[in-house]
Amino acid sequence: ERVAAIVAGEPVNLLETLAVRIADAILQDARVRIVEVTVHKPQAPIPLSFGDVAVTVQRVQHGHEQHRVVSDA
């Protein structure tokens, strides 16, 4: 439900922003130590031929610290 609310909520311009918001929400659960989120947008507004655009974000929680790794794969 949390992820659905984020996706349906405030619009974002970048897939990275959406992926980070989702990952951050998931990491609020104390049981979660690592999360990897991939957001796909098969019909992204890019003036080139492509099948899919996706961004993957991995977040790892160490105590109260969070380290962010963003990759375009």
Side-chain angles (χ1 to χ4, degrees):
E1 291 178 15
R2 241 186 295 177
V3 172
I6 293 167
V7 172
E10 181 183 347
V12 297
N13 291 325
L14 299 174
L15 293 178
E16 293 88 341
T17 302
L18 181 59
V20 167
R21 286 182 183 177
I22 292 169
D24 286 346
I26 293 169
L27 280 178
Q28 289 178 2
D29 185 324
R31 299 170 295 176
V32 177
R33 298 289 181 235
I34 185 170
V35 63
E36 183 173 287
V37 175
T38 300
V39 177
H40 293 266
K41 188 168 186 175
Q43 298 170 343
I46 299 174
L48 302 170
S49 295
F50 61 92
D52 186 26
V53 173
V55 171
T56 298
V57 174
Q58 183 182 65
R59 301 293 297 261
V60 179
Q61 190 171 87
H62 297 284
H64 297 289
E65 296 178 88
Q66 295 178 3
H67 301 279
R68 183 179 302 180
V69 178
V70 178
S71 65
D72 297 323

